[in-house]
Structure formats: C-alpha cells, structure tokens
Amino acid sequence: MKKHLRIALQVLALVLILTGVWAGVAAAQGSTPTDDEVNAIAKQLYCPVCENTPLDVCPTEACRQWRELIRQQLADGWSEDQIKQYFVDNYGARVLGEPPRTGLNWVVYLLPPALILAGAFVLFRAMRSWIKPTSVEAGPAESKTIPLVQDDYVSKFEEELRKRK
Amino acid sequence: MIADFGYGILVVSLVVALYSVAAAAMGVINKSSPLIESARRAMLLTWPLISISALALIYLLVNNHYEISFVYEVTSSSMPTYLKITAWWGGQAGSLVFWSWLMSAFASLVTLRKWDRDREFLPYVIIVASITLAFFLTMSVVFENPFARLYQTPEGIAAHTFAPANSVVFTPEDGRGLNPLLRHPGMIIHPPMLYLGFVSFVIPFAFAMAALITGRSDDRWIRITRRWTLWAWLFLSFGLVLGGRWAYDVLGWGGYWGWDPVEIAAFMPWLTGTAFLHSVMIQEKRGQFKQWNMILVILTYALVIFGTFLTRSGVLSSVHAFANSPIGPFFMGFVALTLIVSLALLIWRWPELNSETEMKSMLSREALFLLNNLLFMSVLVICFVGVIYPLVSELATGAKVTVGPPWYEFSTSPLFAMLMFLMAIAPLSSWGLSSQEKLSNLNKPVLGGILALPVLVFAIFWKQLTFMIGSWPGVVIALAVILAVAALMYIFRKLIWLAAVLAAVSTVYLYFTYTQNIIALIGFFLIVLVLAVTIREFWRAVRARQNSQQENFALAFARLIGRNRRRYGGYIIHVSMMLMAVGILGIEMFQKETQGQVAAGEALTISGYTVKFEDIASWNNPPEQVNYTRAVVGIYKGDQYLGQLYPRKDMYFSDRQMLNPTQPMSIPGNFSSFKDDLYVLLVDWEPASASGATFKIYVNPLVNWLWIGSLLFFIGVVIAAWPDKEAEYATARVRNKAYQPSSAD
C-alpha cells in the first residue's frame, strides 16, 4: 500500500514538474493552448446568449467563437481572472455561474439561510410548546407507562396486532 | 372543418366544466342532491369531450394540415406518424390541451369512486377539480388555441382563431418540424409523466379543500387520497428521472441535471409532495400536524400551477417576454387567487385542526418527521429564491444574472446530507425506543468531547480543507454537518453503533482506495450508514417472522413486505435513494473530462481509458431531412479492447433547422459499467479529408447507480402504493390511547 502510494506520489510530482516546465515553455513560445485549458475556463462561464448553458458545452457557433477567443487570450498570456473579467465587462454578470457578491445580489446569499434559520427557530419553539403540556397534564399516565414497555414486548404486541388485522 | 369542430368541442368542454362548478355550488347552497349529481355527470362528460377535441387535433397533426398554426409549428411531412401524434405535447398550445385532458381523466376517475361514506366531500371536490380544469381550458380557448389557423392579411401572416377582415387562409408547403431534441423516447414519455404527476396532485388538494370547507378535521381526506398522492409522487419522480436520462443521452454535456429553472419548476412540487408524504403518516398515526399538512398540500398545488406557469409563459427567458405574453398574468392571477382562497379557508378552520395528541419528546419519531419537513422546505426555499432572483434582478436593476449549479450545489448539499442522516435514524425510531432517549440523560462531557474532536481536526487542517472545498463558508458548513451528525449519532448510539462502525470502516477503506475528498467521504459515510440501518431493519424483521411463523427466508421476506407494504415500500425507496446518491456523488465529485483533436489512428487517453479514432462518415437521410456524421472510435481499458463507440452529430435541415442551423444534436457514444461511464462526444471534424476529428470525452464514475436506483425506486413506490383491500376495512382506529403501536401502516 505504502509503496504504491509513494510511487504514485513520485509520479504525480514528476507529472506536476513536467506540466509546469511544459506550461512555462508553452507560455514562452506562445503556442496554442489545449482544448482542456480552454474548457477549464469556459466551464465557469455561461453562454451570454443562450439560457443557462455553460460556455464549454454550448453548441452554437457564437460560443465556438467565444471559446476561440479564450484560447487566443490564453495564448496572449491572460490569466483566468482577466479572461472572466473580460466576459463580465462585455456581456454582464450573467456570464458568471453565480451572481457576484455585490449590491442586491446579496439577497441570494443571505435570504435563504435567514429563512431557513427562521423556520428552524419557529419549529423549535413550536415543538417546545407541544411537549410542555404533556409533562404537566397528560404526563403522569403516559410517561410512566411508555418507558417501561420493553422492546421485545412492543414487537410481540405489534406482531399480534398484525395477525388479527 | 375538423379544426372548427375541435375548437367547438373545446369550447363546449369549458362550458360543461363551468356548469359543473356552478351546479355543484348551487347544489350545496340549496342542499339539492340532484344538482350535485348533475355536476358529477357534467364532470364525467368533460373527459370524453376533451378526448374528441384531442382526436381532432391528432387528426390534423397526422394529416399535415399546415394551415393550422400549431401543426405547422411542431410537425413536418418527414416525421413518422408516431412522432406526429406525440407532437401533441411538443408545443405550448397542444400541451395545455394535454394537461386538461389528463386533468379531466383524473377528475372523472375520482368522481367514479364510491362516495357512500364521504358524500359531503363530493360537491367540493368537483368544484376544485372543475375550476382547475376550467382554468386550463380557458387558456386553450382564449389564449393558446391549438386549432388557430394561419391567415394571410395585408399586414402579414399570423395565427387567428377567427378569420380577420380581408384575409385568406395560408397553407405553408411543409411544417417546421418538431425540435429534434424532443424526438428522443425519453422526451416523448417525460412530459406525460410530469403532467400526470402534476395533475394527480390536484386530487389531494381538492379533498383537502373539501375537508376544510366541510369542517371535517379528521384524517379522512388523507386516507382517501393516500394512494393518489403516492401515484402522483411516482409519476412526478419518474418524470424528473426521465428528464435526467434524456439530458444525459441527448443534450451532450455529460450530465443529467443542470439546475436549470425548467428542471427546478418540476422539482419544487416534488419537494413539497415528498414532505407531505412523510408528514401525513404522523397525522394518520397520531392526529398531529393537521394544519401543516394543509399548508403542504396547498403549497404543492400552487407549485404545480406555478411550475407550469414558469415553463409555459416564457418568463424564464425574460420578464419582458412574460409581460408580453397574455397567459403570464392570467396564470399569476390564478396562482394568487388559489393561494388566497385556500389559505383563507385554512385560517378559518385553524383552531379545529389542532393536534389530537401531544408530542412526547424532541427526539420522538414525530419530531424527526418535522425535521425532515424542515429540511425539504429549506431546499424548496433555496430553489425558489434561485429561480425567482434572476427575474427580480432584471426587474429591479435591469441586470440579468445567472444563478447556476455552483450556487445550488453549495446551498443544498448540506441539507441533502442531513436528510440522508435522517433516513438513517428515522427507521430506528419506529421501534419505540427514541422516546426513552431524553436529552437530559445525555452525558454532557462525553458529548462535548465527541463534538470537540471534529472542531480540532478542522482547526488543524483548516488551510487544506479550505483549498479542497473551495471557500471558508463551505468548510464551516461541512463542519456543522459533521457536528450535527455526530451529536445525533451519540444520542442514538445504542441503536446505531453497528451501522456506524460499518460506515466508518467503509469510509476509511474508501479513503485509502478511492478518494481523499472530505465531502465525498461524508457522503459515502452517510450512504453506508443508511444502507446498513435499513438492511438491518429488514433483516431483523425477517428473522422475527422466520422464528414466529416457521417460514423460510424468501417467504418471510415476501410476506413481511406484503403485510406492511407502506413501511417496507418506504424503506426500499430509501435504499433506492442511496443508490442514486452513489451515482450523484460519483458524477458530481469525480467526473473527469478531456477534449482534443486527433487524426485517424491516433488516440486520446483519460482515467485509464484509451479512445482511438478509427473512422468518420457523413451522410444524408433525405426522408427524415437529416444529415448524420458518425465517428467510429475503438475503446481500450489499458491494453484490453472493449469495443467500439459511435458518437454522432445530427444536423436537421428542415425549416426549423434553417432558422437555427448552428445547433446540431450531439449524440454521445457511451460505454457503461457499474464503475463508470465512458461518454464520448464528437465535437468537430474536418469535412474534406475526414482525417481529423475533435472529441470530448467524459468519464462519469458510478453514474449507472443513479439509473439502477431509479428502477428500485419505482419498485418501492409501486409496493407502497399498491391497492390494499384490507385497508378499506381497517380504517377504524384507536386514538388518544396511552400507547400506540408504531407500525407505519
């Protein structure tokens, strides 16, 4: 196990170094970025014209051209953030997979947790109010009998009931 | 002629539906049973009427009557007859008629049942069902007439129900043809399934309203509609699964669920419906949650209408499209009206719907069911905000935003994790033990220690975890889930320890052999936990039966399920959900992809697979007006040859595609196994030389378990929903006794 892990780690390190070297060389030479490099960024962007379609899988001609644009920008040495910013500047925030955390968009990040916590609070309060009366009013009769019921007894009782049904 | 006839019948159906509402209402006011009987017969008449109208529409579709706008939109002469028939629900106008047709079928079925014991419900059920039907029929008759003709006027060609002045009927040479994406078997069955689910949820709602109006605060309405609800849920669930399968097979993006608003529109009623299915059990058993069940059934109905509205009004593409479409405001008005009226009824009856029994403990079975409901409602809140917010943003600031999968996955995954955990402990609470477990009995230092451990581990590995999960709120949420699970596991330790040990061992094994991703490991831990608990429940019950009844294992197993269908059907559904979770976890966490251009004879490699490009050919199929480009790739796992795959691009050159010629269909070649799917797409090729082609390849681990799980799910629901003769006689029930057996049936 350990040996395998070590070999795997060594291979991984080698691959990482090689990729690094290769990427450096590639950047230096300005050679064409691979489809995978383009898709890694396109995946995070949404087609500016279609509804809810990630740019990496969008089949339209327009999206093909946008992917080529990303390729060109990568070849020119742009960073991932620069490319994303370029698309936001030109086509609006809708190209991002989730709304940027600014202004009104905070609604999307704050409203659901607030509502869920409010729901949990209401539920908790309600449950407490439901439980209280039991212990005061109906409590003695119930709370004494139930815990005494043994598991085996309950299952036999259930079995008996089922037979009679 | 046929079109006028069809339209006329549609108008008559609307009149009959409205008559049925009026007669039932008058019957109640005047206490006249002949009037109510007349309303019932009118209700029964709607289905044959709409069927005739639908037959007229199908006749027009099959016989290429392109002067009818709808026929022109969805068919073309090159389409085979079966597709022309299913084109009925392939477009807006037709699918609304389809909705009405199913609605009237269900309403008729329900009015045919024996009403002896529940006469007082009848008029109100008729009123609610008929109003819903009349609403959809009005839409067809007034706004979206499927029989409208194309007329040529000086201003141009447009569809009209009645001939405008100075116009002649315009008959195009050929139709535009059904969107090729919709020609897949999955897409042919998917809408009817969803609609069946939608429509059948109207029935429990109608009975709930009847119960509110008549003031029957018992659970009769729930008992009557129990199986309706289960079947509705089955249809809706299957509609969702089929939609996913369709996306996987046809859309060519390597996934099955994209958190698209259209998908969420159908998912939202599923969430409330699922919550409802769980909480009605408590009302039946213990007479609790009556008000809450009403709220759930009202919400489900409103979401059914709202979902249809979202997908049908064009509001999703733009709020402005909504404003321009006449059906948008009409729909919204109806949803608002339903909500106001039904909630007003509920408030009126609120005090009468108080619980019959008290809750015993925060850890009782009822409490766990409430927690389940809270979690489903939380997912609903997230879905609702996610679908609505882009519209709000567009209205408020004019800026369009996308609320996409990253947001949904981040927000819902902790909730799904908690739901999974509840599945693990809920079956245990049915053995009546949880009421013994009092919070005050807890050994606080031990609990503190158990909770401190994950906090410590998270504090030490904070940086690594933040990197792995992607953001600090994600790490906090993961920690919160772990803490909640750990605390509950401690509380239920006596019951769950065996399963917990098994799950922990499996998780450690997976850590060393499969993944170090903490989110995936939490997921696998919960899956094993639920499976272990549920299978142990089966095991325990079967053994008990074997001992007491002297039956062999298979017989004991079969009889166990047969005698207690709802409980064990429910457990089978839980197991199926876990299998689906394996698939979802696999594809979400471990999907790999690569893309590259290769010449013939060259290969791409990914995750141990080698995909070798062998050949490509392109040809036309004139009868179906389509151009196929099919690549042949050989696939290998290591050195082992596995076979060939044929990823394809289909380019339709009918009228519709001329309008949109750049959207070909990518049909993947898929090699499927229990371990993973190798999913190959043909992205691009060089037409002249046929020497090079670009492929996109996904490896989707474990995704097959999603489909296997859905088959088991189907079996589970059928078992739970199977008509039960005994149940009809066994509805009498002892209430308010000191102890109630916790049988789930």
Side-chain angles (χ1 to χ4, degrees):
Chain A
M1 188 72 236
K2 243 183 179 175
K3 199 175 151 198
H4 286 282
L5 198 69
R6 218 171 62 199
I7 295 173
L9 281 174
Q10 283 168 350
V11 170
L12 188 71
L14 193 68
V15 169
L16 282 177
I17 292 166
L18 284 179
T19 328
V21 170
W22 180 83
V25 172
Q29 293 177 342
S31 76
T32 325
T34 64
D35 288 345
D36 284 346
E37 288 167 311
V38 173
N39 280 341
I41 293 170
K43 211 180 175 59
Q44 301 170 48
L45 292 169
Y46 278 72
C47 166
V49 286
C50 327
E51 300 298 324
N52 295 294
T53 313
L55 191 53
D56 65 327
V57 293
C58 180
T60 61
E61 185 54 33
C63 285
R64 218 166 96 119
Q65 286 168 9
W66 276 310
R67 284 194 292 269
E68 284 313 310
L69 179 64
I70 294 176
R71 197 190 301 274
Q72 189 53 51
Q73 287 167 336
L74 277 173
D76 294 346
W78 289 35
S79 75
E80 189 178 311
D81 289 336
Q82 282 173 318
I83 296 174
K84 276 157 96 175
Q85 194 55 47
Y86 169 86
F87 275 86
V88 173
D89 292 343
N90 284 277
Y91 306 103
R94 65 175 298 192
V95 298
L96 297 173
E98 45 185 24
R101 292 179 169 88
T102 51
L104 185 68
N105 290 341
W106 277 105
V107 168
V108 157
Y109 295 96
L110 299 179
L111 188 63
L115 286 174
I116 292 169
L117 287 176
F121 180 72
V122 169
L123 183 68
F124 184 70
R125 286 286 298 271
M127 289 217 291
R128 277 181 61 157
S129 73
W130 288 332
I131 291 165
K132 260 184 195 161
T134 321
S135 53
V136 183
E137 296 157 25
E142 282 197 8
S143 57
K144 269 180 197 163
T145 49
I146 296 157
L148 291 175
V149 177
Q150 290 301 304
D151 189 16
D152 294 348
Y153 176 70
V154 173
S155 40
K156 275 184 190 156
F157 182 51
E158 276 196 65
E159 196 56 46
E160 201 57 39
L161 275 175
R162 255 180 245 134
K163 270 190 235 160
R164 288 187 190 183
K165 204 160 145 182
Chain B
M1 178 59 207
I2 296 279
D4 296 330
F5 174 72
Y7 183 70
I9 296 286
L10 214 52
V11 175
V12 173
S13 334
L14 173 60
V15 172
V16 171
L18 289 172
Y19 168 79
S20 154
V21 176
M26 291 300 288
V28 173
I29 294 166
N30 300 330
K31 296 198 170 59
S32 151
S33 41
L35 263 177
I36 294 173
E37 184 54 27
S38 165
R40 191 174 82 100
R41 291 194 178 156
M43 177 88 257
L44 285 172
L45 189 59
T46 55
W47 188 71
L49 281 174
I50 301 175
S51 301
I52 293 171
S53 183
L55 282 175
L57 185 58
I58 291 172
Y59 174 86
L60 295 169
L61 285 166
V62 172
N63 292 295
N64 309 328
H65 281 265
Y66 299 124
E67 76 277 13
I68 307 297
S69 170
F70 178 70
V71 177
Y72 166 72
E73 290 287 333
V74 296
T75 62
S76 62
S77 43
S78 64
M79 278 163 59
T81 306
Y82 81 95
L83 271 181
K84 286 181 183 168
I85 296 171
T86 57
W88 176 16
W89 52 80
Q92 172 106 314
S95 70
L96 287 172
V97 174
F98 188 63
W99 220 107
S100 302
W101 183 69
L102 288 175
M103 178 71 231
S104 66
F106 273 69
S108 302
L109 268 179
V110 98
T111 45
L112 279 174
R113 71 183 290 278
K114 283 192 204 122
W115 284 88
D116 318 337
R117 295 174 57 194
D118 321 286
R119 273 267 147 212
E120 76 252 49
F121 284 165
L122 179 62
Y124 303 107
V125 170
I126 292 177
I127 289 174
V128 174
S130 295
I131 287 178
T132 313
L133 180 61
F135 166 71
F136 279 95
L137 284 171
T138 308
M139 210 127 53
S140 295
V141 167
V142 182
F143 302 116
E144 292 284 347
N145 175 14
F147 297 101
R149 286 193 180 86
L150 292 169
Y151 286 98
Q152 172 105 52
T153 60
E155 287 85 45
I157 300 165
H160 294 279
T161 301
F162 302 105
N166 302 324
S167 67
V168 282
V169 173
F170 175 75
T171 310
E173 283 282 295
D174 196 358
R176 293 172 64 187
L178 191 64
N179 185 339
L181 289 173
L182 304 182
R183 298 182 186 188
H184 177 268
M187 211 45 184
I188 291 165
I189 319 168
H190 159 81
M193 279 288 164
L194 271 189
Y195 283 6
L196 273 174
F198 278 7
V199 162
S200 36
F201 266 122
V202 175
I203 307 300
F205 173 75
F207 274 91
M209 290 304 104
L212 278 182
I213 298 168
T214 54
R216 271 185 75 161
S217 64
D218 62 2
D219 58 9
R220 186 70 197 140
W221 72 273
I222 283 177
R223 291 186 170 268
I224 298 171
T225 58
R226 182 159 86 187
R227 293 211 155 69
W228 286 98
T229 315
L230 269 172
W231 287 110
W233 191 65
L234 174 67
F235 291 134
L236 193 52
S237 311
F238 237 64
L240 287 166
V241 169
L242 280 173
R245 184 73 218 196
W246 167 76
Y248 193 72
D249 285 349
V250 169
L251 292 186
W253 45 269
Y256 58 92
W257 178 262
W259 292 102
D260 188 274
V262 175
E263 296 166 336
I264 296 171
F267 187 49
M268 287 195 289
W270 186 87
L271 288 168
T272 47
T274 313
F276 179 70
L277 275 178
H278 285 94
S279 73
V280 288
M281 285 193 246
I282 301 296
Q283 178 164 352
E284 284 179 37
K285 291 268 147 301
R286 318 219 1 110
Q288 291 172 339
F289 309 162
K290 289 181 178 176
Q291 295 128 338
W292 178 236
N293 285 330
M294 283 290 173
I295 293 177
L296 281 179
V297 83
I298 292 168
L299 262 182
T300 308
Y301 176 82
L303 285 170
V304 160
I305 308 286
F306 184 66
T308 318
F309 155 72
L310 279 182
T311 47
R312 288 281 151 227
S313 66
V315 67
L316 290 172
S317 50
S318 156
V319 274
H320 307 298
F322 160 71
N324 293 332
S325 104
I327 68 169
F330 188 59
F331 248 116
M332 272 323 265
F334 186 71
V335 172
L337 190 73
T338 338
L339 274 178
I340 291 168
V341 172
S342 46
L343 289 176
L345 279 172
L346 176 61
I347 291 165
W348 174 44
R349 294 292 187 189
W350 190 266
E352 291 158 49
L353 294 174
N354 277 329
S355 290
E356 292 167 26
T357 53
E358 301 296 347
M359 193 175 277
K360 293 204 186 67
S361 134
M362 286 282 194
L363 299 172
S364 63
R365 187 185 179 140
E366 300 89 275
L368 293 177
F369 271 72
L370 270 185
L371 195 55
N372 150 305
N373 275 221
L374 175 71
L375 290 167
F376 275 112
M377 288 300 105
S378 304
V379 179
L380 174 72
V381 163
I382 289 168
C383 289
F384 190 79
V385 171
V387 167
I388 293 301
Y389 181 71
L391 312 178
V392 174
S393 167
E394 195 187 346
L395 270 181
T397 63
K400 280 192 168 194
V401 290
T402 306
V403 179
W407 182 83
Y408 284 103
E409 281 158 14
F410 179 81
S411 321
T412 56
S413 48
L415 299 168
F416 284 128
M418 288 308 294
L419 273 172
M420 283 161 78
F421 185 69
L422 274 187
M423 272 189 227
I425 52 176
L428 300 170
S429 69
S430 72
W431 288 79
L433 275 175
S434 56
S435 50
Q436 289 179 31
E437 311 280 347
K438 291 262 161 57
L439 280 172
S440 53
N441 293 346
L442 292 179
N443 184 339
K444 288 196 178 112
V446 175
L447 181 60
I450 287 172
L451 295 186
L453 190 69
V455 175
L456 197 69
V457 172
F458 267 67
I460 295 170
F461 295 104
W462 183 264
K463 260 193 179 159
Q464 290 90 324
L465 287 169
T466 316
F467 177 73
M468 184 189 284
I469 296 175
S471 67
W472 70 264
V475 183
V476 172
I477 290 174
L479 179 61
V481 170
I482 291 178
L483 289 180
V485 168
L488 282 165
M489 291 215 346
Y490 173 66
I491 293 166
F492 290 95
R493 63 194 177 279
K494 284 181 202 152
L495 297 163
I496 213 171
W497 70 270
L498 192 63
V501 168
L502 194 64
V505 169
S506 317
T507 310
V508 170
Y509 175 75
L510 287 170
Y511 177 84
F512 286 111
T513 56
Y514 198 76
T515 176
Q516 272 96 54
N517 184 308
I518 184 161
I519 304 284
L521 288 172
I522 294 176
F524 283 126
F525 175 83
L526 290 170
I527 290 169
V528 178
L529 192 72
V530 176
L531 288 178
V533 167
T534 317
I535 290 167
R536 183 158 170 250
E537 282 301 293
F538 272 106
W539 177 256
R540 187 149 70 166
V542 169
R543 293 299 299 204
R545 242 197 114 79
Q546 272 185 291
N547 289 336
S548 63
Q549 310 285 327
Q550 311 301 324
E551 293 166 348
N552 67 37
F553 187 85
L555 189 65
F557 184 75
R559 290 221 172 127
L560 175 78
I561 294 176
R563 294 281 156 86
N564 215 334
R565 276 199 283 271
R566 190 142 75 135
R567 181 198 278 189
Y568 291 102
Y571 288 167
I572 291 174
I573 295 168
H574 282 185
V575 169
S576 76
M577 289 281 171
M578 288 307 100
L579 296 186
M580 290 161 114
V582 169
I584 293 169
L585 214 54
I587 193 169
E588 291 294 337
M589 307 296 302
F590 310 116
Q591 185 181 53
K592 295 268 185 313
E593 62 171 88
T594 188
Q595 182 177 323
Q597 191 185 15
V598 280
E602 287 180 351
L604 290 164
T605 55
I606 178 172
S607 298
Y609 284 107
T610 304
V611 177
K612 192 171 154 198
F613 174 37
E614 292 177 356
D615 198 6
I616 192 163
S618 193
W619 70 95
N620 287 341
N621 180 0
E624 289 192 23
Q625 294 194 306
V626 60
N627 170 275
Y628 296 112
T629 304
R630 197 183 77 149
V632 181
V633 296
I635 52 168
Y636 302 82
K637 180 97 187 176
D639 296 331
Q640 191 196 350
Y641 177 68
L642 298 175
Q644 286 181 329
L645 291 179
Y646 313 102
R648 231 175 57 214
K649 278 249 175 197
D650 298 356
M651 204 100 70
Y652 284 80
F653 41 83
S654 64
D655 229 9
R656 179 175 288 274
Q657 288 303 309
M658 292 307 281
L659 294 171
N660 213 347
T662 50
Q663 279 212 21
M665 278 170 81
S666 295
I667 309 292
N670 192 14
F671 179 81
S672 204
S673 70
F674 290 128
K675 191 163 166 279
D676 51 27
D677 273 18
L678 180 69
Y679 185 98
V680 184
L681 290 163
L682 174 63
V683 176
D684 205 358
W685 63 94
E686 286 159 26
S689 62
S691 63
T694 305
F695 295 96
K696 184 164 198 176
I697 308 169
Y698 290 93
V699 172
N700 295 329
L702 304 172
V703 70
N704 241 324
W705 292 97
L706 179 60
W707 317 120
I708 295 168
S710 25
L711 288 180
L712 187 65
F713 174 88
F714 181 77
I715 295 169
V717 184
V718 170
I719 287 174
W722 199 257
D724 185 0
K725 273 182 194 160
E726 286 171 64
E728 288 298 317
Y729 303 102
T731 43
R733 181 171 54 103
V734 188
R735 242 314 150 63
N736 287 332
K737 286 281 159 88
Y739 174 73
Q740 287 212 327
S742 59
S743 153
D745 196 70

